[in-house]
Amino acid sequence: MLSSVGVFSFTKCSPSLAFLTFKSKIKMDCKLGFARGLEVVSESSLSSSPSKEDLRVDSNGDIISLEEWQGWGTSSPRPAMVMEIVEEMKNLEKDLDTPMSFGGMGAKLQGNFKVQEDKKHRATYKALGDSEQKQQFFSSRQVACRVLGSRGYLCQKCWLAQEDCMCSKIKPSSLWPGIRFWLYMHPKDFLRQNNTGKVLWQIFGVEAATLCIFGIPEQEKIMWDAFKLAGKRRVWCLYPDKNASAKSVKDVLFSSASKSLEEQKTAVDAPLHFVLLDGTWSNSAAMFSRLKEHAKLAWGEEDFPCISLSELGESPMHKLRPQPSWDRTCTAAAALGLLSELHLLPEFSSIGLDKHAEAVEDGLETLLKALTGRRLRMGRSITRAEKYKL
């Protein structure tokens, strides 16, 4: 439903440190993407990301440290399968004596290493026993490549190229503790530069707006443990299910618990959980289907409560990023709309949710300006394609 679009080379040295010496490559921006290596970030960089010297290896010898992993916008432990895939890629690089390199949108592998790794990962995928294992492997490989390929190029906090970092322009805000957002993100949207879901945890923090990547079991477990604790009547997906009537914001608040609205305002230990599907419209359908599968295991029934907004305003990102239609919006704009509608209810008008909505809107405008400035420097158009003018 909520569409988002956005985006290592090793040289050989001593056997024990073969994968730790980075080969510098020239960055090239072009119409279809860019090639990049892992050149050391200069001290004058505006990015808030750690330098590559700090990210090479942790005390256990892992190439992705816990600090680095959580720096990308999560508080979860490192995914075991992601770490395994990174280790396998490192070993393959040694065996082939061919350096890894990434480039283009989505940090895709390139060159001869890509050809050999592709054969290996396809064989591994084919040998997996069931669809769940295949999904976890697919998601983990996407995440592994995106983390390795974005090192030293993207700012960890805002996921923009370091020269476009917008972190200093984002104004943090404390979200009212009676609400918790879950950014259920498709792995192909992870670390994309024009993804808007990241704005929510930049503003509200990773505990109030929590990232959960589709198919990453460690993160999905954290999310579902929270849902089970809250109970089904306090969990909602902002997604108009075609096979069931999605309730309005007001309906949600009256049916979410037996407590009165006034009691709910003080029940900060049992917040309302709102799931925002962060992916293309087709990928969001798959994610919603997965939510229903987990709901059956957690609650004994496949139905996953849905909520729809009464009015959906135009997102600032409509000016730059195509959407299938004007009534479909980006992830952060959907959260903005939800906060605005909650604020209109008399029982919640004094909480300050309108200020939270304004903070999200300001964050979207900041992202739009950063992306627009980048496109102008690259000589790209900043107007929507003609086919999307509705």
Side-chain angles (χ1 to χ4, degrees), residues 31-225:
K31 184 174 182 180
L32 297 179
F34 40 80
R36 58 183 179 273
L38 284 178
E39 66 279 1
V40 176
V41 183
S42 67
E43 293 181 2
S44 61
S45 172
L46 296 178
S47 171
S48 56
S49 300
S51 72
K52 250 173 299 303
E53 295 297 326
D54 296 328
L55 301 180
R56 288 184 175 184
V57 66
D58 71 358
S59 59
N60 296 320
D62 292 319
I63 199 167
I64 299 178
S65 68
L66 177 62
E67 180 183 6
E68 179 186 3
W69 168 248
Q70 294 185 340
W72 292 109
T74 179
S75 59
S76 77
R78 291 171 296 183
M81 189 174 291
V82 171
M83 300 300 290
E84 290 174 8
I85 290 173
V86 169
E87 188 67 26
E88 289 174 1
M89 291 171 67
K90 179 181 68 177
N91 291 336
L92 181 62
E93 183 189 48
K94 286 183 180 180
D95 293 340
L96 296 174
D97 193 21
T98 300
M100 279 186 257
S101 63
F102 295 83
M105 187 171 65
K108 297 177 181 179
L109 283 166
Q110 295 184 329
N112 182 56
F113 185 90
K114 173 189 181 303
V115 175
Q116 301 304 318
E117 195 277 339
D118 190 62
K119 292 179 181 178
K120 185 174 181 179
H121 101 256
R122 287 180 182 275
T124 300
Y125 183 87
K126 186 176 181 180
L128 293 174
D130 55 40
S131 59
E132 177 61 23
Q133 291 178 329
K134 290 178 185 293
Q135 179 60 66
Q136 291 183 13
F137 179 79
F138 169 81
S139 296
S140 297
R141 183 175 177 275
Q142 285 281 329
V143 169
C145 288
R146 287 166 187 268
V147 169
L148 295 178
S150 299
R151 276 177 163 182
Y153 178 71
L154 298 185
C155 168
Q156 281 193 284
K157 295 184 182 299
C158 68
W159 298 1
L160 297 181
Q162 291 180 358
E163 58 267 34
D164 303 306
C165 176
M166 67 178 194
C167 293
S168 63
K169 300 179 179 66
I170 292 291
K171 298 178 181 178
S173 177
S174 297
L175 183 64
W176 176 61
I179 291 176
R180 184 171 184 182
F181 288 121
W182 294 88
L183 283 298
Y184 196 30
M185 183 178 293
H186 194 275
K188 286 189 174 182
D189 281 87
F190 180 58
L191 300 188
R192 280 193 168 182
Q193 295 190 61
N194 63 356
N195 174 280
T196 67
K198 64 193 178 188
V199 171
L200 296 179
W201 66 73
Q202 276 197 283
I203 296 171
F204 300 129
V206 296
E207 296 301 328
T210 306
L211 172 64
C212 178
I213 303 174
F214 174 64
I216 300 298
E218 289 85 353
Q219 293 190 340
E220 290 185 321
K221 182 180 185 303
I222 291 172
M223 182 173 72
W224 276 97
D225 283 349

Side-chain angles (χ1 to χ4, degrees), residues 306-338:
C306 292
I307 182 174
S308 63
L309 300 177
S310 301
E311 296 182 10
L312 196 57
E314 178 185 329
S315 166
M317 292 299 291
H318 267 300
K319 301 173 184 177
L320 182 65
R321 191 183 70 190
Q323 292 284 354
S325 62
W326 290 108
D327 63 338
R328 299 183 181 185
T329 193
C330 67
T331 307
L336 187 162
L338 177 61

